[in-house]
Amino acid sequence: MSEHGKYMETGGIMTHFHEDGQGDPLLLIHGSGPGVSAWANWRLVFPALSKHFRLYAPDVVGFGYTKRPEGIHYSVDVWVDHMISFIETNKLHNLSMIGNSMGGALALHIAYRRPDLVNKLILMGSVGLSFPITEELDLVWGYSPGFENMKRLMSTFSYDQTMVKNDNLVQLRYQASIQEGFQEAFASMFPAPRQRHVDALALNEEALKSITKPTLLIHGREDRVIPFEQTSLKMELLMPNAELHVFSKCGHWTQIEKTEPFCEQVIQFLSR
């Protein structure tokens, strides 16, 4: 898997995505960090998961290499509509989804609005309920380009601080964040005050109770960006068919810090 995948038009947007593997379709929706893309988010899990599922990992509009329409105003509705168009254009049936952070919120909105499209949900460090915005999430959404700023952000994402000492990894994310059009789009998405963006991504309790699809919630216990006690723990109690797995000694980057056990959880849950 390389950084540059394929393009197709979905909902009038030229969408960049990665596709690999065989089996039932599995849509992977990335989060909202600076410089994020499907490749940056999911490259480590593709080798294991593609042995079991047909993987689709698009760059949500405004992120990565998906084309950014002139004059677009980014919102939850725009992102959800884009993902639904991607699903329908690819004629994906019996579809399961993995959503990371903001991507988890988008997966929940899709399941709420279009349950006919969805088989199972896996939500990883996911927004889903409103919570008082953390200082760390405020920093993520308020990022201004700089190598040291990216290094500081990465220290909040991961429990294992040796990852932050890896300048190659920091450089990778920093370079991604300064590619043409990336930061301009990102800066327009989450202007201060940023609590309203948490609230916009969230569903209310009644909506969550109505989502009956089998759901696996995965969270890092030491996640400082999206606190699991106020999100995944509560969602597990509200959603009728949800279960929760918490990784100890793990921050917001479950798929990076716990790649192998994360993939094992996914494969077991989806193969039942």
Side-chain angles (χ1 to χ4, degrees):
M1 183 180 175
S2 72
E3 186 171 2
H4 297 284
K6 307 174 182 180
Y7 281 94
M8 72 183 306
E9 187 171 310
T10 62
I13 296 168
M14 192 56 68
T15 302
H16 179 258
F17 69 104
H18 302 274
E19 179 184 10
D20 195 20
Q22 298 296 328
D24 288 335
L26 179 57
L27 180 70
L28 296 89
I29 310 178
H30 62 73
S32 64
V36 78
S37 64
W39 181 81
N41 221 163
W42 303 116
R43 67 191 187 281
L44 298 182
V45 305
F46 250 70
L49 296 183
S50 62
K51 293 175 184 175
H52 300 267
F53 312 104
R54 185 68 177 172
L55 304 181
Y56 296 85
D59 288 341
V60 179
V61 65
F63 297 91
Y65 296 102
T66 288
K67 301 303 180 186
R68 297 166 175 80
E70 287 287 325
I72 190 169
H73 296 286
Y74 298 105
S75 69
V76 174
D77 286 340
V78 165
W79 291 322
V80 170
D81 288 346
H82 181 220
M83 288 298 93
I84 289 174
S85 293
F86 182 85
I87 293 166
E88 293 183 326
T89 302
N90 281 284
K91 297 181 170 62
L92 302 181
H93 305 288
N94 197 38
L95 174 74
S96 293
M97 295 186 283
I98 305 179
N100 174 31
S101 196
M102 181 190 85
L106 301 185
L108 280 168
H109 281 275
I110 294 167
Y112 178 62
R113 297 183 196 183
R114 291 292 306 276
D116 57 300
L117 297 175
V118 180
N119 179 30
K120 293 183 178 182
L121 294 171
I122 298 171
L123 310 174
M124 187 182 72
S126 176
V127 182
L129 286 164
S130 185
F131 60 90
I133 190 169
T134 59
E135 180 182 347
E136 289 79 6
L137 181 57
D138 204 45
L139 281 172
V140 170
W141 282 347
Y143 169 82
S144 56
F147 183 81
E148 289 304 318
N149 285 349
M150 182 59 77
K151 198 165 189 173
R152 183 183 176 197
L153 276 193
M154 288 181 63
S155 74
T156 71
F157 278 124
S158 57
Y159 172 81
D160 181 1
Q161 292 300 299
T162 60
M163 295 179 71
V164 185
K165 295 173 184 173
N166 178 354
D167 278 357
N168 290 334
L169 187 58
V170 179
Q171 189 69 27
L172 174 77
R173 290 299 297 262
Y174 167 63
Q175 289 298 330
S177 77
I178 60 171
Q179 292 186 67
E180 184 178 359
F182 278 40
Q183 179 58 22
E184 292 82 354
F186 184 72
S188 73
M189 292 175 190
F190 306 108
R194 297 188 179 92
Q195 179 65 49
R196 57 189 162 145
H197 308 304
V198 176
D199 299 340
L201 285 167
L203 287 82
N204 63 44
E205 291 190 1
E206 289 307 309
L208 287 170
K209 288 176 183 177
S210 74
I211 298 173
T212 59
K213 301 297 179 180
T215 301
L216 174 63
L217 298 149
I218 296 177
H219 221 116
R221 187 179 66 192
E222 284 77 26
D223 189 339
R224 292 186 283 153
V225 181
I226 309 293
F228 95 92
E229 298 97 331
Q230 295 169 289
T231 54
S232 293
L233 185 60
K234 288 185 176 179
M235 286 192 284
E236 193 269 337
L237 296 172
L238 288 167
M239 299 177 73
N241 295 306
E243 55 194 82
L244 170 64
H245 184 91
V246 180
F247 282 108
S248 61
K249 298 180 180 177
C250 183
H252 192 55
W253 269 353
T254 310
Q255 82 282 22
I256 293 173
E257 293 190 85
K258 302 288 184 181
T259 305
E260 189 174 330
F262 169 76
C263 290
E264 289 171 359
Q265 289 281 333
V266 170
I267 294 163
Q268 289 173 12
F269 177 72
L270 294 181
S271 299
R272 287 181 203 161

